Structures are given as structure tokens and as C-alpha cells.
Amino acid sequence: MRAKLATALLCALALLARAESPEPLRLVAADLPPYAVAAGGDSPGSLVEIVQELARRVGTPATVEFYPWQRALALTGVLPHTAVLPLTRTPEREPQYRWLVRLRQQNFVFVARHGSIDPRELRDPAGLARRRPIAVLRGSPHKQVLQSLNFSAVAECASVRECMRMVTKGVADATYGGEDIHRHAANLDGHREADFDFSPVFRSGDIWLGGSLDFSEDEARKWRAAYEAMRADGSLARIQRKYGLAGN
């Protein structure tokens, strides 16, 4: 009798422990240095490191997986307890994710091969420059945004690095997207940042950690509280400085 009671007690304790243990987080990201770096090893990207520290503070084990951007977005819609970064919050995306925490503000710019065109001309809403071919990251909201602003030749590419190659080869006259990411990509493939011309900031938007809809609002509040704690104790600024980024 005692053996049966002991067994029942152990089973109950095991079930209780399982119920109280936090569900692991599956973090998916694209290779978008300096925010997320697929081959970064101990330097997986500023936003990845921030989210890893947030996960530690909220008590959620986290694994990080890198995919092409469009697939990373799709996985968050079908897999439980999955989050994706870096995600721009837009009206179209609003009902598709649980918006866990704002991670950073991002500036969006045009980038052209140095001396080829003046990317500042692309800011003119009535200018003929808006007929020029522009490359944007597939799966981002940029194509829709530019088309709504009368850009008539917007092409998509699989990665920011590919977008920059399209510019250097003359396939596109400019690429458009996050300034931090494009300045990093400008120093790859044998090029330097000085080989490109960057426009002034065209638009800005907040970068979020977007979660699957099975996250509760209570969980989201814990993530936001952990983020504010990181800001207060200097951890946030320290990680950003590691990647050469200013805080915002």
C-alpha cells in the first residue's frame, strides 16, 4: 500500500514539475548582421544576444535557428512558442503575432553604388528617379511601402547581401532597407562602405520580437519587464556597444 502511495506521489510531483517548468522558446532569425549573425559563434548578433538574455531572465530556455527571412516568418505562424526577429511592426502584421517586446528603432535608407546615382533624388515624391529599379529584401514590408509611394520597379532578393550585389552589378540602381544592416553588408564581398552612397533617413520603424499567438499577454509583460531591467542595469547598452551600435 505504501509503495503504491509513494509511486502516486512521485507521479504527482513529476506532473507538477512539468506543469511549472517553462516552455522552451524557439527563436528563429535570418542572417541579418549586425542584428542576427548565422555564423557568429559567440557573437550571434546584437538582437539575438539581447533576446537570449531576456529569455534567461524570464526563465525560458531558448534555442536559436537561422533561416531565409521568408521562411523564418512562416515558421512563427505554424510552430508553437516560436519567436522571430528582427520584425518591423506594421498594420498588416499586427494580428499575426504576439508582440512581445520592442527591441530597437531602425532607420530605412536607399543605398546606391558610389557615383552611379544620387540616392537623395529617390526621396522626391514627384521625381523620375522613382522609376529606377530598386531591390528590397523578400518577405519585408518594403516592396509594398515603396509601391504605395509610386516606385514602379521594385524587385525582391533573398538576402540583403544579394540586394547589395544587385546594386554593384548594376542590376538595380539602389537597394532599400535598414541602415545598420546595409552598412554592415557594404563592407562584404571585397567592398568598403565608401564604395556606396547612402541617402538620408527615408523612414523609421520599431524592431520587435514577434511571437506566435500562443504566447499570453502575461508572458509578454514579463518580457517587457525584463527588457526594462536590462536597460536600467546597462546590459542593453553593453550588448549594443559590442556590435558598434548606438543605443536607442
Side-chain angles (χ1 to χ4, degrees), residues 1 8 27 31 33 57 68 80 126 155 163 165-166 192 206 214 217 237 243-244:
M1 187 66 172
L27 178 64
D31 186 32
R57 295 188 183 209
C163 287
R165 291 194 191 108
M166 290 174 69
R192 300 170 301 135
D206 289 336
D214 57 336
E217 182 54 33
Y243 292 89

Side-chain angles (χ1 to χ4, degrees), residues 63-74:
T63 59
V64 183
E65 302 169 18
F66 288 89
Y67 296 97
W69 182 236
Q70 202 163 24
R71 186 178 177 193
L73 292 174

Side-chain angles (χ1 to χ4, degrees), residues 19 21 26 37 46 60 67-68 91 93 106 120 124 128 142 158 188 194 201 206-207 213 216 237 246:
S21 62
R26 185 175 188 174
V37 185
S46 62
T60 301
Y67 296 97
R93 286 174 172 171
Q106 180 172 210
R120 293 174 297 183
D124 181 359
L128 294 177
H142 302 324
L188 302 176
V201 175
D206 289 336
I207 300 173
L213 292 175
S216 68

